[in-house]
Amino acid sequence: MGGGASVHKSKGQDDSDSCNTSQRDGSSSQKQKSGFRIHRKKKQKEAPRQSTGTGQIRPHQGSMGKAERGKTISLKAAILIQRWYRQYLARMEIRRRYTWNIFQTIEYAGEQDQMKLYNFFNALLTHMPQKPGIDIGSKDGANETSSLDSVSVSSGGDASSTAAASGEQRTGGRVKLRKRKLFAGNGACIDLEDVTVENDYKGPHVKLPMTLQNIQELIDGFKKKKILHVKYVAQILRVAAANLKALPNFHQPSTSLSKQITICGDLHGKLDDLLVIFYKNGLPSPENPYVFNGDYVDRGKRSVEILLVLLSCFLLCPDGVFLNRGNHEDHIMNMRYGFIREVRLKYKVFSGRLLTLIDQVYRSLPLGTIIDGRVLVVHGGISETTDLKLITDIDRQKYVSILRPPVLETMNSDGRVIPLSELYSSSHNGSEWKQVLDLLWSDPQNGTGCSPNTFRGGGSYFGSDVTEKVLKKHGLQLLIRSHECKPDGYEFMHSNKCLTVFSASNYYEEGSNKGAYVRLLGGPSEAVEPYFVQFNAATPKLRSMTIRQRVGLVEASALRELRTRIRERQDALTQAFNNYDPDSKGLISVSDWCVALEESTDLKLPWRLLRPKLAELDSATGLVKFATTFQEETQSDSEVDVTVAEVLYRNKSSLETIFRIIDKDNSGYISMDEFAEACDLLGKHLSTPIPQQQKLEMAKSMDMNKDGKIDLNEFMETFRIVNAEHEQDDSLDYEELDD
Amino acid sequence: MAGELSARDIERAKFAFSIYDFEGGDTVDAFYLGDVLRALNLSPTQKLVEKLGGTKKRNEKKLKVDEFLPIYGQAKKDKDVGNIEDFTEILKLYDKSGDGKMALAELSHILQSLGERLDKDEAEEILKDCCEPEDEDGFIEYKPFLKKLMAGPYPDDA
């Protein structure tokens, strides 16, 4: 079983409106959050035995004076130490909390960025006005107007003749013999499912229809870090997509037979967490049904494995496994948050076609689950306009990506880019799209009311009144959702009517949070009774750390992320600094520094308190030496002009996104021209043009085998190597398929 | 009383306050009053926190920032914080052999049974973090422990 696990069971509901880790007088501890806080009633104890032998307090003894004094001093000692200790704890707690804020702020700003970025480039790259007769009613929702939307072209093996073609064009030593065989002859490419499994393949085998033993073998293979052969992956994806497609938009399971059901939240590629859940709660079956509430992929490094395991479980037991779509089941998100990278790394030349198959799975995933007609489970949440009946009638297959409307409308007739919010109101399709967006992207908020979720860039914020209203309107009792990481793995809001459950432990960093899952016990005729299990798929190292060390670790990680973002904005920031420093002394006041940072990074954080960690003061004047904000410069090894490489490196997530947009067929290669185009676009996005000459030189140096194409992964790898110690390591400790 | 707080104090107080403002309404549940004060490097007793307006349960009372600042000012005045000599004097009582050591179990017991008691997990945590591991007789040196405790969790910080 991957990682260790400590499981703490606690029952019942907890009416707290907040991140609730404190207890009693508010001092926090490692205690798990439970429904009932059991206040241990300590027996009134006597003074500890004095080792000097004055013994117990006996009122009539001659040594009473000494004993009394001893008792008083002990009491004083105890109180003093306890006070100090509580202060110690509180100081850690506040750090933990604001570290959390940092992570969350950066994460949601990243999501917002991604949407903005995508829309911006989508608009720029769409040269043509819409072709008439966009066929949204077609079975595949195939939408050929956008040059970007090639992923919606038919499923299966023939979508990537382009991939095959580019495979053929590759010459030189890079192409392995085996692959040449695949694309030999007339260039026709073989269906992935017809790829022969080599004799020396040591991974698990799959034979459909799925059996329990086969799932066990898959899990065992994954534990041993095997990569499943592409043939089997393609099989599983294809059959799963077909089966999922037949399901309605909302699963409607009943617990009348099983008398219980388990709901899991975001997993985000953390296979260890899924394995902990199965270990503690059993594999899915009709008697042990599961709802998985989306976000299976991205961020964690084993997204492929999680997806395969979940889909296999679904194939084995469609009456016991209910899969909801999350906002990360979306190729636009996958571009930025690592899933596409992972598929490329593991499946190389096959990744293009696999990703097309995966998109089919995404579109076929239902949008939510309604248990016993009374508990609604959706990934994000709701909004005041949520109408489940309306959603039931939608053709969800149209939504290849939730972030794009089924009808392409990002540019109006005079070429102006229409921002997302305006598209909401435009047409019937707009309001339908909003319904779906809200389900997968919304977040609950304290208080009442409903407003657009500007933090993330999609969905709504919904208050307790909205929850109340929507639940009532549909005759429901409870809303269960995921989408937000919680320190304890779960959290109740809105008078216990809205429950968040999040199953990826250590999500931001080791030690940042627990994972949890919730079990609803009892059949449909009994009251809804949630039972929580928290866990931590932690390493032994983590478990032996003290709270202080863990908080320190998480904080260091948050600061690294923050510095990355600062570096991304270096140009804008430098400009802002210079504005405050007209005499070019290199010094500005702390206040000015804070303002510059908040405006340039767009993050609402306590900059004044973070300053000591991010920039140095000049001891003489007490002003900030603002250049030190960027102290962790990267050292670029390449012969290319350092500035260009740095700009590109700093913006690598945006750059990756742009690349992947351009790399329409997901072949992993773009041409030199396309690379130049990408740099141009990046320059526009940053308002920092990249000089032509340097662009070309860069491109040339990237083209390793001089065939006029740039391997995206190698390009990204270059930068990873350059700053390896700061990276979340994309460990290539997997068994390579083709060696 | 808020007038006695420096601008920097007020800023730090507002920051700590905002961290515990879970509902975003510029209020903090009085349940967390102790936490906020301690995050500002004060070490009030639980009794004092209650006196200043802290509650034992959530959702009983909410404090606004303007109500909080005077409380902070008041709490700051509490000078009886103890210094390392006091502590050392006290723990010397448990030092049978006068060699700067006392029984770990004894310390743990004191913390859990006297005064404003810690519970078992809290006592364990603090001892794990601030103490060197006990020697084979179960004894620890208390002076280093006290030093570490008083230095706080992040001594390298401003």
Side-chain angles (χ1 to χ4, degrees):
Chain A
M1 191 186 64
S6 51
V7 173
H8 308 269
K9 295 195 204 253
S10 54
K11 185 178 146 155
Q13 303 181 322
D14 190 17
D15 190 350
S16 60
D17 275 352
S18 61
C19 208
N20 171 15
T21 53
S22 303
Q23 30 170 325
R24 279 203 276 162
D25 65 341
S27 63
S28 58
S29 76
Q30 298 169 284
K31 271 239 195 88
Q32 321 319 334
K33 186 166 88 100
S34 65
F36 335 113
R37 184 104 319 114
I38 297 171
H39 289 268
R40 277 187 240 157
K41 300 253 184 287
K42 294 238 176 0
K43 290 200 297 249
Q44 199 62 35
K45 288 213 174 111
E46 298 179 42
R49 239 162 255 169
Q50 303 289 349
S51 41
T52 49
T54 45
Q56 310 289 340
I57 310 303
R58 287 191 222 286
H60 301 297
Q61 283 205 347
S63 59
M64 179 175 91
K66 226 183 186 173
E68 271 297 321
R69 188 175 70 89
K71 186 182 172 199
T72 318
I73 292 181
S74 298
L75 194 67
K76 189 173 180 203
I79 293 188
L80 279 175
I81 297 181
Q82 288 152 350
R83 286 166 67 173
W84 274 99
Y85 177 60
R86 292 199 166 95
Q87 189 203 100
Y88 188 92
L89 277 187
R91 283 163 70 176
M92 276 205 298
E93 179 62 16
I94 202 161
R95 265 171 121 99
R96 194 189 65 80
R97 284 179 190 271
Y98 86 64
T99 298
W100 189 268
N101 283 358
I102 294 176
F103 270 127
Q104 225 174 26
T105 306
I106 294 179
E107 177 180 19
Y108 298 163
E111 284 181 355
Q112 204 195 104
D113 265 359
Q114 182 66 355
M115 291 175 88
K116 280 193 205 155
L117 189 68
Y118 192 83
N119 285 307
F120 180 68
F121 290 116
N122 191 12
L124 285 178
L125 291 171
T126 309
H127 325 292
M128 316 284 225
Q130 310 348 318
K131 270 198 224 155
I134 298 160
D135 191 356
I136 57 169
S138 80
K139 214 161 55 135
D140 278 331
N143 186 346
E144 304 232 37
T145 50
S146 164
S147 54
L148 303 171
D149 209 11
S150 62
V151 286
S152 67
V153 173
S154 61
S155 61
D158 57 2
S160 310
S161 45
T162 35
S166 61
E168 273 193 305
Q169 279 172 30
R170 266 179 290 139
T171 53
R174 302 192 68 245
V175 178
K176 305 275 194 292
L177 194 61
R178 210 165 40 77
K179 290 196 192 92
R180 254 206 218 112
K181 259 198 279 181
L182 191 60
F183 299 115
N186 53 11
C189 66
I190 311 175
D191 197 298
L192 287 178
E193 298 184 44
D194 291 333
V195 173
T196 347
V197 181
E198 305 74 25
N199 288 335
D200 58 352
Y201 167 72
K202 294 195 223 79
H205 295 265
V206 168
K207 192 164 185 312
L208 297 181
M210 188 60 66
T211 60
L212 186 59
Q213 182 180 9
N214 215 161
I215 293 188
Q216 250 335 115
E217 284 163 12
L218 273 178
I219 292 180
D220 289 337
F222 290 151
K223 279 192 207 164
K224 297 194 188 104
K225 303 266 180 143
K226 303 286 182 210
I227 298 181
L228 186 64
H229 196 281
V230 67
K231 172 188 174 121
Y232 301 134
V233 179
Q235 269 184 338
I236 292 176
L237 291 173
R238 179 182 53 82
V239 180
N243 291 8
L244 285 168
K245 200 167 168 173
L247 297 174
N249 291 342
F250 288 106
H251 300 283
Q252 306 242 27
S254 160
T255 58
S256 47
L257 288 176
S258 59
K259 300 279 189 244
Q260 51 103 2
I261 186 164
T262 304
I263 297 119
C264 296
D266 294 27
L267 287 162
H268 280 302
K270 318 274 299 333
L271 184 63
D272 286 348
D273 287 302
L274 181 61
L275 296 180
V276 167
I277 296 175
F278 283 162
Y279 180 72
K280 285 294 168 185
N281 204 49
L283 283 173
S285 70
E287 301 80 40
N288 188 21
Y290 277 80
V291 178
F292 290 97
N293 204 10
D295 278 12
Y296 315 120
V297 302
D298 276 336
R299 298 192 136 236
K301 295 194 203 80
R302 314 212 59 199
S303 303
V304 173
E305 285 78 23
I306 288 218
L307 193 59
L308 291 172
V309 170
L310 290 178
L311 292 176
S312 302
C313 290
F314 166 69
L315 289 177
L316 174 69
C317 177
D319 295 328
V321 176
F322 304 99
L323 302 171
N324 291 346
R325 187 173 185 178
N327 67 313
H328 277 260
E329 273 69 60
D330 189 322
H331 71 269
I332 297 181
M333 298 302 280
N334 297 161
M335 279 193 232
R336 187 193 193 101
Y337 287 100
F339 184 46
I340 296 198
R341 207 184 304 150
E342 184 187 326
V343 175
R344 276 286 310 158
L345 268 168
K346 289 178 182 168
Y347 291 99
K348 306 198 165 42
V349 69
F350 302 115
S351 57
R353 279 180 285 162
L354 282 180
L355 287 166
T356 308
L357 285 172
I358 288 172
D359 267 1
Q360 298 308 309
V361 170
Y362 288 166
R363 297 158 76 182
S364 310
L365 283 168
L367 302 172
T369 300
I370 304 178
I371 305 171
D372 293 332
R374 58 185 183 175
V375 177
L376 174 64
V377 187
V378 288
H379 177 73
I382 53 178
S383 77
E384 60 194 354
T385 54
T386 295
D387 183 344
L388 297 181
K389 285 193 192 59
L390 202 145
I391 300 174
T392 309
D393 294 331
I394 291 176
D395 173 18
R396 68 177 188 274
Q397 298 286 316
K398 299 199 298 249
Y399 292 91
V400 181
S401 156
I402 301 285
L403 293 176
R404 300 185 57 205
V407 175
L408 193 58
E409 272 180 30
T410 47
M411 215 187 243
N412 70 2
S413 49
D414 54 88
R416 184 174 75 93
V417 175
I418 303 178
L420 279 176
S421 55
E422 288 182 56
L423 287 167
Y424 280 138
S425 47
S426 54
S427 63
H428 171 70
N429 275 316
S431 67
E432 179 194 283
W433 182 39
K434 178 184 192 290
Q435 293 277 344
V436 176
L437 253 177
D438 282 337
L439 280 190
L440 268 59
W441 277 82
S442 298
D443 289 315
Q445 61 178 5
N446 284 306
T448 57
C450 190
S451 48
N453 191 331
T454 45
F455 209 6
R456 295 208 198 232
S460 311
Y461 285 122
F462 59 99
S464 51
D465 54 337
V466 178
T467 304
E468 180 85 39
K469 197 176 89 174
V470 171
L471 288 180
K472 202 161 167 198
K473 174 168 152 187
H474 298 99
L476 301 165
Q477 289 177 25
L478 174 65
L479 166 67
I480 300 181
R481 42 89 62 178
S482 304
H483 198 38
E484 284 180 297
C485 183
K486 297 290 177 191
D488 285 320
Y490 72 97
E491 185 180 282
F492 268 110
M493 285 180 78
H494 299 176
S495 311
N496 293 359
K497 292 241 172 75
C498 175
L499 169 64
T500 304
V501 62
F502 193 88
S503 301
S505 66
N506 307 308
Y507 179 60
Y508 290 127
E509 173 59 79
E510 278 202 53
S512 64
N513 66 290
K514 298 196 190 78
Y517 59 89
V518 58
R519 297 179 64 202
L520 299 180
L521 302 173
S525 50
E526 287 137 61
V528 177
E529 199 183 302
Y531 178 87
F532 300 96
V533 177
Q534 295 163 304
F535 56 86
N536 213 317
T539 59
K541 163 186 153 209
L542 187 68
R543 273 180 273 133
S544 68
M545 291 169 93
T546 60
I547 298 183
R548 177 178 61 86
Q549 289 167 317
R550 260 180 278 147
V551 173
L553 189 67
V554 182
E555 193 184 14
S557 187
L559 288 170
R560 267 203 300 278
E561 295 241 354
L562 196 52
R563 286 196 200 99
T564 303
R565 195 168 170 97
I566 287 177
R567 266 182 277 136
E568 279 175 16
R569 304 283 197 282
Q570 184 164 340
D571 295 322
L573 205 45
T574 309
Q575 199 163 22
F577 286 157
N578 287 330
N579 287 344
Y580 287 116
D581 178 30
D583 303 326
S584 297
K585 295 218 188 74
L587 301 172
I588 55 174
S589 74
V590 177
S591 307
D592 288 339
W593 185 88
C594 293
V595 171
L597 266 131
E598 176 140 344
E599 282 176 355
S600 314
T601 60
D602 233 338
L603 297 172
K604 277 186 155 35
L605 292 173
W607 292 107
R608 192 170 283 263
L609 275 115
L610 291 170
R611 200 263 330 138
K613 303 241 183 277
L614 297 171
E616 285 172 22
L617 290 181
D618 173 57
S619 41
T621 56
L623 298 173
V624 181
K625 295 192 271 193
F626 56 78
T628 58
T629 315
F630 309 117
Q631 4 197 44
E632 273 160 318
E633 300 288 14
T634 64
Q635 259 84 70
S636 172
D637 281 332
S638 80
E639 324 86 64
V640 179
D641 186 69
V642 170
T643 329
V644 173
E646 277 202 23
V647 171
L648 293 177
Y649 171 71
R650 275 186 251 128
N651 292 281
K652 55 190 186 344
S653 356
S654 304
L655 197 58
E656 183 174 1
T657 300
I658 300 169
F659 278 172
R660 299 211 185 274
I661 295 173
I662 293 180
D663 178 27
K664 313 167 189 109
D665 50 26
N666 278 310
S667 63
Y669 289 84
I670 60 172
S671 70
M672 301 275 283
D673 290 334
E674 288 169 329
F675 175 80
E677 201 182 333
C679 290
D680 269 340
L681 289 172
L682 180 65
K684 280 204 186 79
H685 179 61
L686 299 173
S687 323
T688 311
I690 297 180
Q692 184 73 4
Q693 177 64 7
Q694 287 158 343
K695 223 185 322 173
L696 288 176
E697 273 171 20
M698 242 220 117
K700 281 211 199 97
S701 72
M702 291 299 144
D703 178 14
M704 305 285 190
N705 60 353
K706 309 294 169 218
D707 65 353
K709 287 194 173 287
I710 296 167
D711 180 318
L712 301 178
N713 247 59
E714 281 195 349
F715 180 74
M716 303 302 293
E717 278 301 320
T718 309
F719 290 120
R720 267 193 272 281
I721 293 165
V722 162
N723 212 355
E725 71 272 12
H726 290 295
E727 287 296 328
Q728 298 267 343
D729 140 77
D730 265 5
S731 59
L732 290 166
D733 58 349
Y734 290 98
E735 211 178 76
E736 299 283 356
L737 239 197
D738 51 354
D739 276 307
Chain B
M1 295 207 232
E4 288 161 5
L5 299 172
S6 73
R8 187 149 194 275
D9 280 340
I10 295 184
E11 192 181 347
R12 291 181 63 234
K14 284 189 173 165
F15 170 66
F17 189 85
S18 71
I19 294 279
Y20 281 92
D21 172 12
F22 300 132
E23 304 203 351
D26 286 333
T27 61
V28 165
D29 193 322
F31 179 66
Y32 296 107
L33 178 62
D35 275 343
V36 184
L37 292 172
R38 290 177 183 120
L40 294 165
N41 294 349
L42 300 178
S43 50
T45 58
Q46 287 168 311
K47 201 163 114 190
L48 180 61
V49 170
E50 237 182 284
K51 201 169 105 176
L52 292 171
T55 55
K56 286 211 166 101
K57 284 209 193 129
R58 269 178 278 276
N59 292 325
E60 276 181 24
K61 190 165 102 177
K62 297 265 191 283
L63 293 169
K64 296 217 260 294
V65 129
D66 322 322
E67 294 168 323
F68 170 69
L69 290 173
I71 295 176
Y72 176 42
Q74 183 73 351
K76 264 188 115 188
K77 289 189 186 162
D78 178 22
K79 291 298 176 206
D80 181 24
V81 290
N83 54 30
I84 195 154
E85 279 75 33
D86 286 342
F87 280 118
T88 319
E89 271 310 302
I90 285 159
L91 288 187
K92 268 205 190 125
L93 285 177
Y94 296 88
D95 182 2
K96 282 196 283 208
S97 42
D99 61 353
K101 293 193 179 169
M102 66 177 287
L104 180 67
E106 190 122 54
L107 182 57
S108 180
H109 182 77
I110 296 176
L111 294 174
Q112 288 179 64
S113 56
L114 291 192
E116 298 183 330
R117 304 178 196 125
L118 303 180
D119 63 32
K120 184 151 174 281
D121 289 337
E122 292 172 321
E124 257 173 42
E125 183 66 27
I126 186 187
L127 294 174
K128 188 161 132 199
D129 213 7
C130 296
C131 278
E132 299 299 322
E134 49 186 328
D135 65 19
E136 55 210 17
D137 295 324
F139 279 71
I140 49 122
E141 291 184 57
Y142 51 86
K143 243 194 164 165
F145 162 71
L146 291 171
K147 273 216 177 97
K148 225 171 169 194
L149 180 67
M150 296 187 69
Y154 302 102
D156 307 325
D157 270 6

